[in-house]
């Protein structure tokens, strides 16, 4: 049963709490260089998207992580076979002990998801398996003050297509991500 | 370097260049060895060592670039997914190092004498060994040259790379730089019977390959300019954007025009007096052009902006809004 995320862009206010909670829970290093503004790897990223012009200007915030694609491009190109898709829930995971840090997955991923820290190996969202396997929500979902991010099986998330006019992201890799506008 | 692809930087560019150079060099050398035997052994020995050393140095560049170089050295673990071109390439490169290295050893008299004193048939059957290494080695090295382009060419979300014209371009460039290097050496060192003929054949090959490279490069850029908006944006970087000085001056000027003119003048015999300087100028210029080609192609490998309507538009923004 494929699991994935749903994002409600009307609820997301760009507070970056999910980013911080993700980094905190997963012990992602805060920065890898001393350059001003360096932020280190991010397994979840919030981006503000501006569109239109005054008086019809609009800004929306979008929080995205790995999409745990149905046909993940990263898995196919990894020379070491370090990335795999779990058959039971479709979560795409990285075996840190196999990754050689060649960055090939970074180029294959259409969303720029793979990140590299000071260890040199690839890291990304693992759907907080240490939480979700115990029945808890992923850290991002748990921390969002606006309930903008939801996690679940794609069947469970499908209700948002009715309620919130959410749509699954299109793409050859079949991202497991629903998003509303 | 804003707006350019820099995740894969200089070391990967050097790796792709040296891999191609070594492969091209081996192809030229092996063909000379197979067709002329011992006659041009100095050139063959030079080409064999050059092809082995360049590929080894190139591979070292790759190893320095990856996050876990020592882990990467365990080939059968780290390159076990043979659906990945990175893994296929690693095995091709490994094979080329083995073949080119052995080929070089079998063309080095002192090594042969040393080995022959211990295992006699190694020296006695040197011709057989040389042939057995040269013939399959040509295909292996052509594979390496092609792979340096396929590695980038199979990535669908990098529009400037995602075409079979890229491996074609890199293969032709690998051959003209490799054959160019052998030509320069042969021009400077080979004298006596047959040397003029060898030089002429090599010069004609280099001229032909440079013309083919020019045509392939032109068609590749034409395809990109008339392709998707992302591909055209990337191609514009080369033609009049941030990397255009490198592209026009080094890739086109030094890499194609200078060696072409030198080879043509050498062939026509009009500049024979500058016989030592010209081949050196031509090959240096040709190698710089080949190296710069890998740099500009890597820089232009910017991601596609997923420009389909609706929700994908949101993601398009994400990739470019800081």
């Amino acid at each position: 049963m494929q699991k994935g995320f749903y994002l409600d862009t009307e609820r997301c206010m760009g507070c970056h709490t999910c980013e911080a909670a993700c980094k905190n829970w997963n012990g992602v290093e805060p920065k890898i260089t001393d350059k001003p503004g360096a932020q280190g790897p991010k397994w979840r990223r919030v981006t503000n998207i501006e569109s239109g012009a005054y008086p019809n200007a609009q800004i929306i915030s979008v929080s995205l992580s790995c999409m745990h694609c149905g046909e993940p491009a990263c898995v196919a190109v990894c020379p070491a076979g370090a990335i795999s898709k779990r058959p039971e829930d479709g979560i795409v995971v990285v075996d840190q002990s196999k990754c050689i840090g060649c960055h090939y997955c970074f180029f294959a991923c259409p969303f720029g998801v793979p990140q590299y820290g000071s260890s040199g190996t690839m890291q990304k969202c693992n759907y907080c398996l240490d939480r979700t396997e115990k029945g808890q929500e992923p850290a991002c979902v748990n921390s969002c003050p606006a309930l903008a991010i939801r996690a679940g099986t794609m069947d469970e998330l499908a209700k948002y297509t009715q309620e919130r006019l959410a749509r699954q992201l299109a793409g050859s890799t079949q991202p497991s991500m629903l998003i509303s506008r | 370097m804003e707006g350019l692809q820099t995740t894969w930087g200089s070391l990967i560019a050097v790796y792709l260049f040296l891999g191609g150079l070594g492969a091209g060099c081996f192809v030229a050398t092996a063909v000379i060895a197979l067709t002329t035997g011992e006659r041009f052994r100095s050139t063959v020995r030079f080409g064999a060592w050059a092809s082995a050393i360049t590929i080894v140095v190139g591979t070292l560049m790759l190893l320095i670039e990856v996050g876990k170089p020592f882990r990467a050295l365990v080939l059968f673990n780290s390159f076990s997914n043979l659906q990945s071109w990175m893994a296929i390439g690693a095995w091709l490169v490994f094979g080329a190092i083995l073949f080119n290295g052995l080929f070089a050893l079998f063309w080095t008299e002192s090594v042969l004498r040393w080995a022959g004193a211990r295992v006699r048939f190694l020296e006695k059957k040197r011709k057989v060994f040389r042939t057995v290494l040269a013939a399959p080695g040509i295909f292996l090295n052509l594979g390496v040259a092609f792979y340096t382009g396929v590695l980038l060419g199979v990535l669908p979300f990098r529009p400037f790379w995602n075409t079979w014209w890229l491996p074609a371009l890199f293969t032709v460039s690998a051959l003209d730089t490799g054959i160019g290097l052998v030509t320069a050496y042969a021009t400077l060192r080979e004298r006596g019977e047959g040397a003029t003929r060898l030089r002429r054949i090599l010069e004609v090959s280099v001229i032909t390959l440079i013309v083919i490279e020019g045509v392939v490069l032109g068609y590749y850029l034409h395809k990109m300019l008339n392709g998707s908006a992302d591909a055209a944006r990337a191609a514009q970087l080369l033609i009049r954007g941030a990397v255009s000085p490198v592209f026009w001056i080094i890739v086109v000027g030094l890499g194609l025009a200078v060696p072409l003119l030198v080879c043509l003048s050498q062939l026509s015999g009009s500049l024979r007096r500058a016989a030592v300087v010209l081949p050196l100028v031509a090959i240096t210029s040709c190698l710089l052009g080949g190296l710069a080609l890998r740099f500009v192609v890597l820089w232009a490998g910017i991601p596609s902006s997923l420009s389909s309507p609706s929700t994908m538009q949101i993601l398009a923004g994400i990739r470019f809004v800081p």
Side-chain angles (χ1 to χ4, degrees), chain B residues 4-75:
Chain B
L4 303 181
Q5 184 292 116
T6 51
T7 302
W8 268 352
S10 319
L11 291 172
I12 296 289
V14 174
Y15 162 64
L16 298 177
F17 166 66
L18 289 180
L21 173 64
C25 199
F26 185 90
V27 172
T29 307
V31 169
I32 295 172
L34 287 172
T35 51
T36 63
E38 293 261 350
R39 170 67 191 87
F40 300 109
R41 59 177 170 275
S42 167
T43 299
V44 172
R45 192 169 57 237
F46 167 81
W49 280 109
S51 71
I53 291 167
T54 45
I55 294 189
V56 169
V57 174
T59 309
L60 284 177
M61 299 293 140
L62 174 72
L63 285 174
I64 296 170
E65 175 83 15
V66 303
K68 295 281 178 194
F70 294 108
R71 192 179 288 170
L73 278 173
V74 189
L75 287 186

Side-chain angles (χ1 to χ4, degrees), chain B residues 158-240:
Chain B
R158 301 281 160 162
F160 191 70
W161 295 347
N162 190 215
T163 164
W164 287 102
W165 286 97
L166 179 59
L169 177 64
F170 276 13
T171 306
V172 182
S173 167
L175 289 174
D176 77 41
T177 48
I179 297 176
L181 190 61
V182 175
T183 308
Y185 184 89
T187 308
L188 295 172
R189 287 301 300 269
E190 295 293 352
R191 294 287 177 269
E193 196 193 336
T196 314
R197 186 158 174 269
L198 172 72
R199 216 160 53 216
R200 276 183 175 269
I201 292 170
L202 286 171
E203 279 163 359
V204 170
S205 315
V206 172
I207 292 168
T208 313
L209 284 162
I210 287 176
V211 171
I212 294 174
E213 185 179 343
V215 171
V216 172
L217 180 62
Y219 189 70
Y220 173 38
L221 288 177
H222 170 78
K223 285 269 289 187
M224 290 293 125
L225 286 170
N226 293 293
S228 69
D230 293 312
R233 204 162 50 89
Q236 287 292 358
L237 285 174
L238 268 63
I239 291 166
R240 64 179 82 138

Side-chain angles (χ1 to χ4, degrees), chain B:
Chain B
M1 286 305 184
E2 205 158 313
L4 303 181
Q5 184 292 116
T6 51
T7 302
W8 268 352
S10 319
L11 291 172
I12 296 289
V14 174
Y15 162 64
L16 298 177
F17 166 66
L18 289 180
L21 173 64
C25 199
F26 185 90
V27 172
T29 307
V31 169
I32 295 172
L34 287 172
T35 51
T36 63
E38 293 261 350
R39 170 67 191 87
F40 300 109
R41 59 177 170 275
S42 167
T43 299
V44 172
R45 192 169 57 237
F46 167 81
W49 280 109
S51 71
I53 291 167
T54 45
I55 294 189
V56 169
V57 174
T59 309
L60 284 177
M61 299 293 140
L62 174 72
L63 285 174
I64 296 170
E65 175 83 15
V66 303
K68 295 281 178 194
F70 294 108
R71 192 179 288 170
L73 278 173
V74 189
L75 287 186
F76 53 88
N77 268 340
S78 298
F79 298 99
S80 51
N81 176 16
L82 290 178
Q83 286 183 335
S84 163
W85 271 98
M86 176 76 85
I88 296 169
W91 287 105
L92 284 172
V93 166
F94 174 70
I97 290 175
L98 214 66
F99 266 76
N100 301 9
L102 283 173
F103 188 68
L105 291 174
F106 271 102
W107 277 92
T108 308
E109 284 304 324
S110 52
V111 174
L112 267 182
R113 270 201 305 276
W114 179 85
R118 282 149 185 85
V119 187
R120 182 162 298 173
F121 81 99
L122 284 178
E123 196 182 5
K124 235 174 130 184
K125 296 274 178 199
R126 64 169 79 180
K127 256 187 158 171
V128 178
F129 281 111
R130 285 169 175 177
T131 310
V132 164
L133 288 166
I138 290 176
F139 293 100
L140 190 62
N141 280 273
L142 282 173
V144 169
F146 195 64
Y147 139 78
T148 59
V150 179
L151 182 71
L152 307 179
V154 294
L155 295 166
F157 304 108
R158 301 281 160 162
F160 191 70
W161 295 347
N162 190 215
T163 164
W164 287 102
W165 286 97
L166 179 59
L169 177 64
F170 276 13
T171 306
V172 182
S173 167
L175 289 174
D176 77 41
T177 48
I179 297 176
L181 190 61
V182 175
T183 308
Y185 184 89
T187 308
L188 295 172
R189 287 301 300 269
E190 295 293 352
R191 294 287 177 269
E193 196 193 336
T196 314
R197 186 158 174 269
L198 172 72
R199 216 160 53 216
R200 276 183 175 269
I201 292 170
L202 286 171
E203 279 163 359
V204 170
S205 315
V206 172
I207 292 168
T208 313
L209 284 162
I210 287 176
V211 171
I212 294 174
E213 185 179 343
V215 171
V216 172
L217 180 62
Y219 189 70
Y220 173 38
L221 288 177
H222 170 78
K223 285 269 289 187
M224 290 293 125
L225 286 170
N226 293 293
S228 69
D230 293 312
R233 204 162 50 89
Q236 287 292 358
L237 285 174
L238 268 63
I239 291 166
R240 64 179 82 138
V243 300
S244 59
V246 179
F247 175 70
W248 289 112
I249 298 170
I250 308 184
V251 178
V252 178
L254 294 182
L256 299 176
V258 170
L260 183 68
L261 290 175
V262 171
C263 281
L264 281 173
S265 66
Q266 295 260 52
L267 204 58
S268 68
S270 56
L271 286 167
R272 275 282 177 242
R273 269 181 299 173
V276 176
V277 182
L278 273 183
L280 289 177
V281 169
I283 189 57
T284 310
S285 161
C286 179
L287 294 182
L288 279 174
L291 179 59
L293 175 68
R294 273 60 174 195
F295 269 95
V296 297
V297 167
L298 278 181
W299 284 330
I302 49 180
S304 58
S305 53
L306 304 168
S307 53
S308 62
S310 77
T311 46
M312 292 308 270
Q313 201 66 48
I314 298 171
L315 287 168
I318 280 177
R319 305 186 67 82
F320 298 106
V321 176

